[in-house]
Amino acid sequence: MIEVQQLRKQFGQLVALDGLTFNAPEGQITGLLGPNGAGKTTCLRTIYGLLKADSGKALIDGFDASEQPLEARRHIGIFPDKFGLYERLTAREQIAYFANLHGLTGAQGDQAVSTALARLDMLAIADRRARGFSQGQRMKVALAQSIVHSPKHLILDEPSRGLDVMSTRILRDLLRELRSQGTSILFSSHVMQEVAALCDQVVVIAAGKVAAQGTTEELCALTGETALEEAFVKIIGTDEGIAA
Amino acid sequence: MITQIRIVWLKELKDALRDKRSVMAAMSYAFFGPLLMAGAFFLLISQLTSEKDVEIDIRGGDYAPALVQHLNNLGIVERSEPWPAGKQPITLDIDASWAEYIATAQPAKVTLTADFSAQKQRADIRRVETAVSSYAQQLGVIRLQMRGIDPNAMRGIDLVKQDTATKGSRAAIMMGSVLVFMLLSVFFSGMNVAIDISAGERERNSLELLLSQPLSALQLVWGKTLAAGSFAIFGGLLSVILIPLIFRYLPLHEIGISVAIAWPMLLLILLTLVPLAFLATAMQLFVSFRAKSFKEAQTYISLVLMVPMLAVFGVEFARLKNQLLYYLPLTGQHQALLDIIKGESIQWLPLGVSALVTLLVSYILIRLIARMLSSEKVVFGL
């Protein structure tokens, strides 16, 4: 379970997070929906402890990443906003690097890497160096890195960027499968359809605050609209920075 | 703790070894540097040892065949080709009255015509002068002997020149520049790797994810320092092995220099370079973790490289002598290496102290980098 309590974060004059509170329970996919610049990435970075909140806290299984960063990070898989690959390493080596860092070494590590590769349908490119990988292939490597240690929590920052239809399907199937295994999944997106198709719970954030929270149906009911997109526009009061 | 460091270290090593640019950078300095220097020395030696004949115009040589013979023996010969444009002729004119003056024991008249202000010909003119006056001296000695006078009566003073430069110490001057090469090899060899695993990591956007893994910033920095440090030490090893090998093929004995460093001494030099390799790497990582791109880091690092160069060359050229130099990082290693090469006794205590100080400074730098990487301002460039 990921708990975010009253997070506040300010960069100079800019208030990025303004008392953000929500939960991402186990066995559920929680979507963080918001326009560009709403504070999604800042929120996720604060959860895994790269940014320090001015006040409030974020707990991963009860561990505060700002106080026990290593303990907290052991329990999460991260697909960050920016991910770069090591061009001179093969896909398998990159994924193995992260497996090793999570304590999976030797045969255990090899096994975990192979499982992750198979799960994302990457065996064909597993032993190729990352130089020359397509955007979709890069996304897959980054995804595999985030799930190779079978984390209990998965945090993804806009995971479907640049994926083709087939890859998007693989991603969705993967997330559903992980959900059924009890993983708590938190992902940010500004793509409405994706959120509508996947999420059990949607947290709409705008200007660093939770504007609304609930299932797709609840949000629609709340605003009296039938489509999530309309509901969303109504909630945040503008259609700026949203992709349908 | 150790496992995480090892994982980062091995991964960075594998990554760097596949990077041709990094490997080439590490190799080329240690490899081509000494070769280049050997070439320069070779040229110097051949200039110093092979004196070319001085070709001049000799007029009236027929009057004094013995003098001409004497000049020839000293490498001063009659010119066969015309003088090249821009070069003033040097002419030795033997007067027709030669035989007459010799017979009457008078000073015979010989005229040396040349441009005495010509910088390039000064050595040649000087050789002609010396040769002529040495012949004149021989004549004088014979004349005195014929009159039954001891020629030594002419010599008021016997100036004895004693050259205190031993073979070893003369070599030390030459080897000073070689040493600078060895010292700097640890700074150059790991440089590319250091940039790639710090500024490069940031540039390819992999730093954020790496910092979100269950390893502390300090472990990460240690792993990276060991990786770049390995390259630096490898570069040092190459230059320590290659320089004496290359010098073995130089005809240094021709100019009275002997450079023979025993293998145990080479090992000692290498050990001395190890702490320096870590200092070099820590300094480079410290600067390039602050840079946002590879290019930016290269700019910073080239400035940082000035520090060891200035320190070493400064001491070398200013001929600084201060006991403190033995205890400081960089200058301490430099002095120790100088002593080793000169064959002087090694000051073990200062050597140990400077190694420890070097390691301590590196350690502090590593801690500082780790602290930097824990700061969101540095990581995200806020």
Side-chain angles (χ1 to χ4, degrees):
Chain A
M1 167 117 132
I2 299 171
E3 298 161 83
V4 174
Q5 296 164 4
Q6 289 296 323
L7 274 192
R8 257 193 73 86
K9 177 74 187 173
Q10 207 166 334
F11 299 114
Q13 290 298 307
L14 179 82
V15 179
L17 301 178
D18 191 6
L20 203 61
T21 304
F22 66 88
N23 289 335
E26 274 141 47
Q28 281 197 22
I29 300 179
T30 306
L32 211 53
L33 185 63
N36 294 330
K40 301 187 297 287
T41 299
T42 304
C43 168
L44 298 184
R45 280 177 177 165
T46 312
I47 294 174
Y48 50 77
L50 276 193
L51 292 177
K52 303 237 178 325
D54 298 335
S55 65
K57 56 184 171 181
L59 303 175
I60 298 163
D61 249 0
F63 294 110
D64 188 336
S66 64
E67 282 158 16
Q68 295 168 278
L70 299 192
E71 204 48 54
R73 287 172 192 163
R74 249 174 230 132
H75 296 94
I76 45 173
I78 298 166
F79 180 96
D81 166 43
K82 288 179 186 164
F83 61 92
L85 302 185
Y86 301 107
E87 307 273 314
R88 294 181 291 267
L89 297 188
T90 66
R92 188 187 296 277
E93 285 164 345
Q94 320 237 4
I95 300 163
Y97 183 34
F98 287 86
N100 291 340
L101 287 176
H102 276 277
L104 297 170
T105 49
Q108 205 187 359
D110 293 345
Q111 181 59 41
V113 174
S114 298
T115 310
L117 283 168
R119 208 168 197 179
L120 285 161
D121 194 21
M122 297 171 61
L123 288 168
I125 58 163
D127 295 301
R128 259 175 56 192
R129 293 194 187 173
R131 184 178 307 242
F133 272 13
S134 70
Q135 179 69 4
Q137 288 167 330
R138 286 169 186 273
M139 297 288 289
K140 281 186 179 176
V141 175
L143 263 176
Q145 284 171 353
S146 67
I147 59 158
V148 67
H149 53 293
S150 317
K152 272 184 70 189
H153 308 82
L154 192 56
I155 298 178
L156 309 102
D157 201 347
E158 312 224 352
S160 56
R161 281 169 289 164
L163 288 191
D164 57 20
V165 182
M166 284 312 292
S167 308
T168 310
R169 269 201 188 163
I170 291 174
L171 170 70
R172 285 185 190 167
D173 291 345
L174 174 75
L175 293 186
R176 290 201 182 102
E177 189 189 330
L178 290 173
R179 168 174 63 184
S180 68
Q181 291 165 2
T183 312
S184 67
I185 300 169
L186 174 64
F187 83 89
S188 75
S189 179
H190 63 281
V191 182
M192 207 70 51
Q193 283 173 344
E194 191 175 68
V195 175
L198 268 176
C199 296
D200 303 301
Q201 191 203 176
V202 181
V203 178
V204 181
I205 61 173
K209 283 187 195 136
V210 175
Q213 190 171 1
T215 61
T216 317
E217 293 77 30
E218 283 168 358
L219 291 184
C220 291
L222 186 75
T223 53
E225 299 287 343
T226 48
L228 181 62
E229 185 179 335
E230 295 305 319
F232 182 46
V233 171
K234 213 160 194 175
I235 290 166
I236 64 169
T238 166
D239 58 359
E240 194 189 330
I242 314 159
Chain B
M1 170 88 191
I2 302 295
T3 333
Q4 301 293 66
I5 294 176
R6 206 173 50 108
I7 291 167
V8 176
W9 180 14
L10 291 179
K11 179 260 160 190
E12 297 296 3
L13 264 189
K14 187 195 278 177
D15 203 349
L17 282 172
R18 286 184 189 171
D19 181 14
K20 289 198 186 72
R21 188 161 56 162
S22 287
V23 176
M24 277 303 293
M27 300 275 288
S28 60
Y29 180 85
F31 201 76
F32 295 115
L35 271 183
L36 205 77
M37 198 155 38
F41 278 159
F42 198 83
L43 223 71
L44 187 78
I45 292 168
S46 62
Q47 264 184 3
L48 281 177
T49 49
S50 73
E51 269 189 321
K52 282 202 295 192
D53 284 352
V54 180
E55 295 187 343
I56 60 166
D57 290 337
I58 300 177
R59 275 190 226 137
D62 294 341
Y63 303 125
L67 172 62
V68 174
Q69 185 57 46
H70 176 81
L71 292 176
N72 285 350
N73 289 346
L74 291 174
I76 297 161
V77 294
E78 172 91 60
R79 196 171 181 83
S80 48
E81 301 148 32
W83 292 90
K87 226 175 171 184
Q88 285 296 319
I90 301 173
T91 313
L92 198 65
D93 212 331
I94 301 166
D95 201 79
S97 58
W98 174 273
E100 183 192 332
Y101 281 106
I102 294 296
T104 55
Q106 296 294 310
K109 198 173 165 196
V110 175
T111 316
L112 177 62
T113 314
D115 178 0
F116 284 81
S117 69
Q119 220 28 273
K120 282 184 184 166
Q121 287 177 305
R122 186 167 285 175
D124 288 356
I125 296 170
R126 180 125 193 184
R127 273 177 69 187
V128 178
E129 283 184 84
T130 319
V132 172
S133 71
S134 75
Y135 187 77
Q137 211 171 355
Q138 280 181 25
L139 278 180
V141 168
I142 293 167
R143 286 176 182 176
L144 287 177
Q145 279 175 334
M146 283 167 68
R147 286 162 181 74
I149 300 168
D150 182 0
N152 274 333
M154 290 287 294
R155 295 169 53 189
I157 290 178
D158 186 11
L159 179 63
V160 183
K161 288 182 192 168
Q162 279 184 335
D163 192 351
T164 53
T166 63
K167 283 193 170 186
S169 72
R170 205 180 307 169
I173 296 171
M174 204 169 198
M175 289 306 278
S177 51
V178 180
L179 274 186
V180 173
F181 243 92
M182 285 186 180
L183 277 178
L184 292 182
S185 69
V186 295
F187 282 84
F188 280 96
S189 305
M191 188 172 78
N192 215 62
V193 180
I195 298 177
D196 192 57
I197 63 182
S198 52
E201 185 101 58
R202 187 197 288 262
E203 193 174 50
R204 73 174 91 87
N205 287 323
S206 48
L207 186 61
E208 180 182 343
L209 183 59
L210 196 53
L211 287 172
S212 318
Q213 299 307 310
L215 85 164
S216 67
L218 190 61
Q219 290 168 337
L220 186 67
V221 178
W222 268 117
K224 285 177 179 286
T225 308
L226 286 173
S230 305
F231 265 72
I233 292 171
F234 175 69
L237 176 72
L238 264 186
S239 73
V240 167
I241 291 176
L242 282 177
I243 288 178
L245 265 185
I246 287 171
F247 273 71
R248 196 169 285 182
Y249 294 100
L250 278 183
L252 286 172
H253 53 90
E254 283 184 19
I255 51 171
I257 287 177
S258 70
V259 185
I261 312 171
W263 287 107
M265 282 300 150
L266 286 182
L267 195 67
L268 184 63
I269 292 178
L270 188 65
L271 280 179
T272 314
L273 289 182
V274 169
L276 207 57
F278 280 105
L279 179 67
T281 306
M283 273 167 65
Q284 286 161 357
L285 283 179
F286 183 78
V287 221
S288 58
F289 257 126
R290 296 194 155 260
K292 287 183 187 59
S293 67
F294 204 97
K295 277 248 168 87
E296 197 185 336
Q298 274 177 326
T299 313
Y300 292 164
I301 282 200
S302 52
L303 289 177
V304 170
L305 272 180
M306 297 294 285
V307 176
M309 296 225 264
L310 284 178
V312 175
F313 281 116
V315 170
E316 187 71 12
F317 288 129
R319 303 241 162 270
L320 276 180
K321 285 270 176 274
N322 190 328
Q323 192 57 27
L324 188 66
L325 289 177
Y326 278 88
Y327 293 93
L328 294 176
L330 202 66
T331 54
Q333 282 87 6
H334 183 205
Q335 297 295 332
L337 258 59
L338 271 176
D339 284 351
I340 292 174
I341 283 212
K342 278 190 205 164
E344 286 173 13
S345 60
I346 295 153
Q347 305 190 32
W348 292 104
L349 178 71
L351 181 58
V353 171
S354 85
L356 279 181
V357 174
T358 310
L359 286 175
L360 185 72
V361 175
S362 319
Y363 177 71
I364 292 171
L365 279 173
I366 288 171
R367 295 297 297 230
L368 282 176
I369 301 168
R371 216 167 79 179
M372 214 157 80
L373 287 183
S374 312
S375 142
E376 55 187 55
K377 282 208 176 70
V378 178
V379 174
F380 294 108
L382 297 172

